[in-house]
Amino acid sequence: MGLRKKSKNPAVFSHEFVIQNHADIVSCIAMVILLGLMFEVTAKFAIMFITVQYNVTYINIDEGTESISFYEYGFKDLATIFFYMLIAIILHAVIQEYILDKINRRLHLSKTKHSKFNESGQLAFFYLFSFIWGGSILTGEKFTTDPTLLWERYPHSHMFFQVKFFYICQIAYWLHALPELYFQKVRKEDIARQLYYICLYIFHVTGAYILNLHRLGLILLVPHYLVELLFHASRLFYFSDENKQKGISCLAAICLTQAWMMWKFINFQLKKWREHTQNQIPRKKVANTKNKPSKKECKANTSNGTVKTESGTSPRARKAKAS
């Protein structure tokens, strides 16, 4: 009989065990929270992790008994953020195992490119999802067409469900990125760079949420995520295409996007300039007509071909013949 091979399974609760099975461990924790909904004793605690808290309902007096639901923020949001952080870790592992790892096996990338490819792949999925979700929220908001709503009646402490849930998921995702640096075995030289932009996202997104600047945050995040999506998509093409043909096409898409945005900006400024000039022309005409005497005044001042002075006498009447 031949010698049995040593088992490659790491010891339980060792670093390698946690890294290899972190998705399963997190799934178990999320399952325990979901099971808490089945029992009446634990349901009131479990629901705090899953559903969005601090619901406020207002009755619209103008439209009868129709009620409008808004949401505020509070300390219970930390439990909700923790649960969706677990969901983000699970989704991260699913994308890594079933999509990115399969592509990596075909490309045979080096360790450096392999790490950067995984980073860009995960972020590209997140930016695409967040851009579509944020864009759908902005289409239904009034402050996109009326920018004055961004600062009028501040602070905007009330949020719709989609807006609050969007911010909770954003904070949960960027918080999950911190333990992923350990789970994904990120190289030491890349930790500082990734930690830098992760902390910046956490600081700004959380600040917009707590300071009631969620409207301004949406306006800034959605186009920013589009730019980041194009960047990481071009990065993926760069690593996957040896001839760099896809990267050149992605660069052309970025240039066309910038040209389109510049064209829209120029047209907007020209429209404003035309409106300004059209508003100035009637004012000049009104000013000129005020200076000119009317036809009735001219007729009143003239009689039988002679021009009368302000006193009503003709200038010829002033000349007296010498006797």
Side-chain angles (χ1 to χ4, degrees):
M1 294 179 63
L3 296 173
R4 292 183 180 179
K5 294 182 179 180
K6 293 183 179 180
S7 177
K8 295 183 179 179
N9 295 329
V12 180
F13 298 119
S14 63
H15 290 289
E16 286 295 328
F17 178 84
V18 173
I19 291 172
Q20 291 181 12
N21 302 283
H22 73 275
D24 297 329
I25 297 171
V26 171
S27 300
C28 292
I29 298 173
M31 191 63 66
V32 170
I33 296 174
L34 291 173
L35 288 174
L37 296 173
M38 300 176 63
F39 305 98
E40 186 177 357
V41 178
T42 58
K44 59 182 179 181
F45 297 102
I47 201 170
M48 185 173 60
F49 288 87
I50 299 169
T51 61
V52 179
Q53 303 294 315
Y54 299 102
N55 183 12
V56 180
T57 304
Y58 291 92
I59 297 175
N60 194 344
I61 301 176
D62 297 333
E63 298 182 4
T65 59
E66 184 180 357
S67 60
I68 303 174
S69 296
F70 294 100
Y71 290 85
E72 299 176 349
Y73 69 87
F75 288 104
K76 292 182 180 179
D77 291 338
L78 296 175
T80 311
I81 291 170
F82 173 76
F83 177 77
Y84 287 99
M85 185 180 71
L86 301 180
I87 301 299
I89 293 174
I90 297 170
L91 293 176
H92 189 114
V94 170
I95 294 172
Q96 185 65 44
E97 182 176 355
Y98 293 99
I99 299 176
L100 297 179
D101 286 346
K102 290 183 178 180
I103 297 174
N104 282 324
R105 293 190 193 100
R106 296 180 181 179
L107 297 177
H108 303 288
L109 298 175
S110 62
K111 290 183 178 181
T112 304
K113 290 184 177 181
H114 183 274
S115 177
K116 292 181 179 180
F117 184 87
N118 290 336
E119 178 190 358
S120 294
Q122 293 287 348
L123 290 175
F125 277 104
F126 168 73
Y127 288 135
L128 177 62
F129 175 75
S130 298
F131 172 73
I132 295 173
W133 189 7
S136 65
I137 295 174
L138 288 179
T139 54
E141 294 290 344
K142 295 181 180 179
F143 56 81
T144 55
T145 56
D146 187 5
T148 58
L149 295 176
L150 293 174
W151 57 83
E152 286 184 351
R153 297 180 181 178
Y154 179 83
H156 308 124
S157 58
H158 296 151
M159 297 174 280
F160 289 108
F161 171 80
Q162 287 291 337
V163 176
K164 178 166 184 176
F165 191 49
F166 176 82
Y167 272 94
I168 285 177
C169 292
Q170 293 292 313
I171 298 171
Y173 179 86
W174 291 113
L175 285 176
H176 111 281
L178 295 175
E180 285 295 341
L181 297 176
Y182 170 71
F183 295 147
Q184 298 297 325
K185 293 182 178 180
V186 178
R187 300 184 308 163
K188 292 181 179 180
E189 53 268 26
D190 292 336
I191 289 178
R193 177 181 57 83
Q194 294 188 28
L195 192 63
Y196 176 73
Y197 70 76
I198 290 171
C199 292
L200 283 177
Y201 273 112
I202 294 173
F203 176 77
H204 287 93
V205 176
T206 307
Y209 182 68
I210 294 176
L211 298 176
N212 297 317
L213 294 172
H214 50 87
R215 296 181 181 181
L216 181 61
L218 276 171
I219 292 290
L220 297 177
L221 277 177
V222 172
H224 175 73
Y225 281 166
L226 176 60
V227 176
E228 290 289 339
L229 173 62
L230 293 174
F231 169 73
H232 287 283
S234 62
R235 203 180 184 194
L236 290 173
F237 290 144
Y238 173 79
F239 292 131
S240 61
D241 188 17
E242 295 181 355
N243 297 325
K244 308 298 183 296
Q245 294 178 356
K246 296 179 181 178
I248 295 172
S249 61
C250 191
L251 178 62
I254 295 173
C255 294
L256 289 174
T257 305
Q258 294 292 330
W260 177 78
M261 293 175 67
M262 181 61 70
W263 177 254
K264 295 289 289 185
F265 176 76
I266 293 173
N267 284 335
F268 175 77
Q269 294 297 329
L270 289 175
K271 183 180 178 180
K272 287 290 185 182
W273 178 73
R274 290 185 191 127
E275 292 177 356
H276 179 71
T277 53
Q278 288 176 0
N279 292 332
Q280 292 294 327
I281 291 173
R283 293 179 182 178
K284 292 181 179 179
K285 290 183 178 180
V286 171
N288 292 330
T289 54
K290 287 182 178 179
N291 295 329
K292 294 180 179 179
S294 62
K295 293 181 178 180
K296 292 182 180 180
E297 292 177 353
C298 293
K299 290 181 179 180
N301 292 332
T302 58
S303 177
N304 296 327
T306 61
V307 180
K308 294 182 178 180
T309 61
E310 294 180 354
S311 60
T313 58
S314 174
R316 293 180 180 179
R318 293 180 179 179
K319 295 180 180 180
K321 293 182 180 179
S323 55

